[in-house]
Amino acid sequence: MRIPAAREGIVAEIAALVPEAAALAVAWNTTAAAAGADPWCDPALVAAREALMRFLDHHAAACDVPAARALADLVVLLSCGGDDTAAAARIALPLWLEAETLPGLVLHLPALAEAQTALGLGRLTDRDEEEVDVDGRDAEATLLEAWTDALEAAYSSLNAAASSIVAAAAVLSRGGSAEFLTCTLLVRALMLFGERLTQPIADQAGERERWRRRKAEAALAKAVAEHRKSSQALRASPRVSPAPAQAISIPVGQVLVVAEVRETGTDRGRSVTKGYEAIIGKPVPLAPVPDLRELRAALRFEFPYATDLIDRLLVNLNNGSHVGLNPTVILGRPGVGKSRLISRIAHHLGVGLWRVDATHDSGAAIGGLDRRWSSTEPAHPVMAIARYGVANPLMLVDEIEKASTRRDYGRLWDSLLPMLEPETARAYPDPAFQASVDISHVSWLFTANDIAPLPGPLLDRLRVIEMPAPTATDLEALLLPVLAGIAASQGLDPRFLATLDNEEIAAVRRAWPGGSIRRLTRLVETVVAAREAFGPRH
């Protein structure tokens, strides 16, 4: 019953978003409901499905309505068979892009757990007040930990399911098959096939986890035995990890980011240093400045309309031996390529890019979460340094002006201030490590559509550079980098995508007067897809 109900829901959404396609949507739903024993191969359903998809795809490109394309993808999922290679190829990339957004959910789990804890404790007020006074603190800690564990378990299951579905779509798109896929609806086949594909990985991961636990239990038993033999003074002293800073030799071109971290017995049985052993008490290299002529040439090829902006951004690198950019806000209209430009700068500099979406960031989490919480984590720059292995990664805070202004869990804007100031960044007090860390070599770039909402203290620490929007005269220069980006997103060599002919360029020019690079990319994707669908077969 879920599939018919889902189709009804899609028909309603199509009627609301694209009223012109309502009749086609009703015809598709009616035909799907009346299909025979082998429904996904029924000629009538195929015809109704293709007519609806073509209309939605055309509307998405012509009217710049990405949601119409997403609805067409849902039509594919609910009316194509599991052995339909073309259908799987169509939805593989959108599914992958959606799955890529899941890691960002982790940032919201602490705030959500705390909110749920507050709601749960609110119910205690109906009880006897003395019970709340006696047990309130324990109840809060227990409930918070329970909510955090439940949310983390739910996220883990969701992430595993998404990985299975993406893997299935990728394999099916390349002709992979299984006997049970015949006459199976694509949306059902993806999960079944994905679970089968990823089962060996899950089994191996489970075996590795069991092995890790056995090793951990053995190490714990050994530590307990040694602990009992030690003196009372030694047992009472905190464990220090690693050696003190003064005993560490720091080579030129490297930075001691974290000198030492003391772990007490109050960390809920967890190690706050796990995963950060490579940067604690050990010098971390600074990424050197690459060949600036090659860097500028590569960026100007991809962003021919923003050459002045590129030169202003990279001016800091002219006299330096290691990568370091001044904190900067790139201001511009939506879709002009601000985030992509920063991503490509990080790629060419080889420093790694840590992205924070200000519209979804949970308050002050960017500055780290206190050790007392079960969801404790270091400041995001420290996490970026550990992930990329350099002391000067590039931090991107997207849409900084849209950060929440509520102060319940701290504000993103306020948390940034000490990390942007060189003096305080050299000895930033990390709340998870409970130690000073050196994040003064981290580069900070921000994007914004408007800087009016930003507070004065934050703007005082940032330079603002406006990114121009491309115009129609930039079309020919943009086509090659746009095609290269499309090829990269599909895992293809750019040489496999032929350049657009005069007729195709004219069609794109009529639909794109300039402005959004996202819209131009979607138009070129539509042209490429149409060429592949209706071009000559060999």
Side-chain angles (χ1 to χ4, degrees):
M1 293 300 293
R2 292 182 180 180
I3 300 302
R7 288 201 307 266
E8 292 288 349
I10 292 175
V11 169
E13 290 189 34
I14 292 173
L17 183 68
V18 191
E20 302 91 335
L24 291 174
V26 171
W28 163 70
N29 186 32
T30 304
T31 307
D38 190 5
W40 323 124
C41 301
D42 188 302
L45 177 57
V46 172
R49 178 184 71 214
E50 295 298 321
L52 178 57
M53 287 167 49
R54 279 196 300 269
F55 190 95
L56 292 174
D57 286 342
H58 175 77
H59 184 82
C63 301
D64 194 18
V65 183
R69 169 83 181 191
L71 287 172
D73 291 339
L74 291 176
V75 171
V76 171
L77 284 170
L78 293 177
S79 53
C80 288
D83 53 356
D84 191 331
T85 302
R90 173 191 171 100
I91 55 111
L93 180 59
L95 287 175
W96 172 256
L97 294 177
E98 289 297 325
E100 277 192 323
T101 65
L102 288 179
L105 291 177
V106 176
L107 297 176
H108 306 289
L109 298 185
L112 185 56
E114 291 182 20
Q116 294 289 2
T117 300
L119 291 174
L121 289 175
R123 301 188 191 100
L124 293 175
T125 58
D126 295 331
R127 304 179 186 177
D128 183 70
E129 189 171 345
E130 291 184 1
E131 181 181 352
V132 178
D133 291 339
V134 173
D135 300 329
R137 179 170 299 177
D138 292 339
E140 180 180 1
T142 303
L143 195 55
L144 176 60
E145 189 167 1
W147 269 114
T148 302
D149 292 344
L151 290 171
E152 289 176 351
Y155 166 77
S156 178
S157 299
L158 177 62
N159 200 32
S163 300
S164 296
I165 291 172
V166 169
V171 173
L172 289 174
S173 69
R174 294 303 178 185
S177 63
E179 62 279 1
F180 65 84
L181 299 180
T182 305
C183 299
T184 302
L185 183 60
L186 180 59
V187 70
R188 290 173 175 155
L190 287 175
M191 180 57 75
L192 294 173
F193 193 43
E195 288 176 349
R196 177 173 294 190
L197 287 173
T198 56
Q199 189 59 49
I201 300 174
D203 291 344
Q204 184 179 11
E207 181 58 35
R208 287 179 64 104
E209 177 63 15
R210 287 189 289 273
W211 176 84
R212 186 194 66 78
R213 288 184 180 180
R214 288 195 297 268
K215 295 285 287 184
E217 290 170 357
L220 179 60
K222 181 179 179 182
V224 169
E226 293 176 352
H227 183 69
R228 288 173 177 170
K229 295 177 183 178
S230 62
S231 66
Q232 183 65 33
L234 183 60
R235 288 198 303 270
S237 64
R239 181 169 65 88
V240 180
S241 172
Q246 58 268 27
I248 300 172
S249 175
I250 306 174
V252 176
Q254 299 191 24
V255 176
L256 184 62
V257 177
V258 188
E260 60 179 353
V261 176
R262 294 177 179 270
E263 291 186 335
T264 65
T266 61
D267 303 328
R268 298 175 183 248
R270 297 173 297 105
S271 171
V272 295
T273 63
K274 184 178 180 181
Y276 299 94
E277 295 86 354
I279 67 170
I280 297 177
K282 301 174 184 177
V284 181
L286 290 162
V289 175
D291 187 309
L292 289 181
R293 284 182 297 181
E294 292 184 5
L295 173 61
R296 284 190 172 95
L299 292 174
R300 287 174 174 177
F301 168 74
E302 296 182 61
F303 304 91
Y305 57 95
T307 55
D308 290 342
L309 168 63
I310 291 169
D311 288 341
R312 292 184 65 186
L313 277 175
L314 302 183
V315 69
N316 306 122
L317 304 179
N318 286 328
N319 300 317
S321 58
H322 303 103
V323 173
L325 301 174
N326 286 345
T328 303
V329 178
I330 299 181
L331 177 66
R333 291 161 46 188
V336 298
K338 302 184 294 296
S339 300
R340 176 165 172 75
L341 171 62
I342 295 173
S343 174
R344 299 305 294 163
I345 288 174
H347 170 76
H348 290 299
L349 290 176
V351 294
L353 178 69
W354 185 278
R355 184 178 182 274
V356 175
D357 187 346
T359 62
H360 296 105
D361 188 70
S362 54
I366 193 171
L369 297 174
D370 196 275
R371 186 183 294 191
R372 59 185 170 151
W373 301 112
S374 62
S375 54
T376 182
E377 62 182 17
H380 284 215
V382 176
M383 296 166 70
I385 291 169
R387 173 177 294 182
Y388 299 115
V390 293
N392 52 345
L394 178 55
M395 302 291 295
L396 163 60
V397 182
D398 230 346
E399 299 188 284
I400 180 64
E401 82 280 12
K402 296 183 177 66
S404 173
T405 58
R406 295 182 58 182
R407 299 178 182 269
D408 306 46
Y409 307 106
R411 292 196 310 176
L412 172 67
W413 295 340
D414 298 333
S415 297
L416 288 169
L417 298 180
M419 294 191 285
L420 296 176
E421 196 68 46
E423 290 301 321
T424 52
R426 289 191 185 95
Y428 178 76
D430 187 273
F433 288 164
Q434 295 184 0
S436 295
V437 298
D438 185 354
I439 55 174
S440 60
H441 298 277
V442 174
S443 296
W444 291 87
L445 294 180
F446 306 81
T447 68
N449 304 136
D450 180 16
I451 60 171
L454 298 181
L458 180 60
L459 276 176
D460 288 343
R461 291 164 171 81
L462 305 174
R463 63 174 175 173
V464 180
I465 304 179
E466 188 167 358
M467 184 168 187
T471 65
T473 58
D474 298 310
L475 178 60
E476 278 78 5
L478 286 169
L479 286 177
L480 281 178
V482 166
L483 282 169
I486 294 172
S489 68
Q490 298 177 357
L492 301 174
D493 189 310
R495 292 172 294 181
F496 289 149
L497 288 183
T499 57
L500 273 60
D501 58 32
N502 292 334
E503 184 178 349
E504 292 170 332
I505 293 175
V508 173
R509 188 181 296 281
R510 286 193 296 271
W512 188 75
S516 173
I517 292 294
R518 282 197 292 265
R519 174 168 166 75
L520 175 60
T521 301
R522 287 195 293 269
L523 288 169
V524 176
E525 285 177 336
T526 301
V527 170
V528 171
R531 176 199 294 167
E532 294 176 352
F534 303 109
R537 303 274 183 180
H538 299 288

